[in-house]
Amino acid sequence: EEFSKITKNEYLEVDVLLVFVNKYKFNIYKERLLNLEYLFMKDSSWAVTDSVIAFNKKKDDETNIYFFKKWILSPYIFIKRMGYVLYIATLKDNKEAMNILLNNSKETGIYYIDMAISWALAVASINFENEIYEYLKTTNDLFIKKQTIRKIKDSYRNTIEFKNKLNNLKGAKK
């Protein structure tokens, strides 16, 4: 009944249960996302935060963009990651969101965040091939660049031509 009395981020099973309760306790999508923020302010698990978005996603670009922008600027690792995963799950075909993604895709040195950024960029490349190519061509963030290229090359949703074009970029493995 009372979220504030439950110990969070100690047991994976409890966190997953809280995600289910959250979905059914808060009928208004925006309230549900606000409560997710509360649930994941402390350390969590990438598996839980990634699953949370898949379970709670809704096609509401205005709300999703609001939380995407807010979460990717969060000082909390797993909320920040949840922001990038929200992009992947709900905003991957939204031009405004893609521009926000490109403007906020800087290496953090935190593995779980940098991998989420790379994943989001790779997914964005499906709809925004030219923009992602230009980003990869100019970025100095070698980890994100390499991981994004790797994820694009592993994807069945990108064209062979685009994958071959990436071979010409510095840092890309042939």
Side-chain angles (χ1 to χ4, degrees):
E1 278 278 328
E2 187 58 49
F3 271 51
S4 63
K5 294 180 182 174
I6 297 173
T7 303
K8 297 172 292 304
N9 310 115
E10 189 172 337
Y11 299 103
L12 181 66
E13 296 82 358
V14 172
D15 291 349
V16 171
L17 179 63
L18 287 173
V19 169
F20 284 109
V21 170
N22 182 66
K23 180 167 183 168
Y24 296 105
K25 182 174 181 169
F26 298 99
N27 293 326
I28 299 171
Y29 183 59
K30 194 170 191 172
E31 288 178 3
R32 191 180 319 152
L33 294 182
L34 275 170
N35 196 60
L36 287 177
E37 222 174 284
Y38 164 74
L39 289 174
F40 295 107
M41 279 188 173
K42 295 193 178 181
D43 287 341
S44 184
S45 156
W46 66 266
V48 174
T49 56
D50 292 6
S51 300
V52 162
I53 295 305
F55 186 67
N56 284 285
K57 70 181 181 179
K58 184 176 181 183
K59 194 64 178 161
D60 174 358
D61 279 5
E62 184 179 333
T63 300
N64 289 331
I65 286 176
Y66 171 81
F67 281 96
F68 168 57
K69 288 193 295 192
K70 182 179 182 190
W71 288 351
I72 63 174
L73 298 175
S74 174
Y76 301 102
I77 293 171
F78 291 100
I79 291 176
K80 187 180 279 278
R81 181 178 172 93
M82 217 164 40
Y84 289 104
V85 176
L86 181 66
Y87 172 86
I88 294 164
T90 65
L91 297 165
K92 59 186 167 261
D93 57 353
N94 183 297
K95 179 86 171 178
E96 177 188 357
M98 187 273 309
N99 287 326
I100 294 166
L101 173 65
L102 290 178
N103 290 329
N104 290 281
S105 291
K106 309 281 184 276
E107 260 182 51
T108 65
I110 301 168
Y111 180 80
Y112 291 113
I113 296 171
D114 291 346
M115 285 304 291
I117 293 169
S118 301
W119 182 21
L121 289 166
V123 170
S125 73
I126 297 162
N127 293 308
F128 304 105
E129 193 175 280
N130 293 332
E131 292 87 342
I132 300 303
Y133 181 79
E134 288 303 315
Y135 168 83
L136 292 171
K137 196 164 80 171
T138 59
T139 188
N140 293 321
D141 293 337
L142 198 55
F143 179 84
I144 288 177
K145 182 179 198 171
K146 285 181 176 182
Q147 294 306 316
T148 302
I149 291 171
R150 191 190 87 198
K151 288 182 173 302
I152 290 169
K153 288 184 174 185
D154 288 346
S155 174
Y156 293 107
R157 298 179 289 174
N158 294 96
T159 66
I160 298 293
E161 294 78 22
F162 182 53
K163 292 176 185 182
N164 289 336
K165 186 176 174 182
L166 294 174
N167 287 334
N168 298 325
L169 295 178
K170 185 179 179 184
K173 291 184 178 179
K174 303 272 184 218

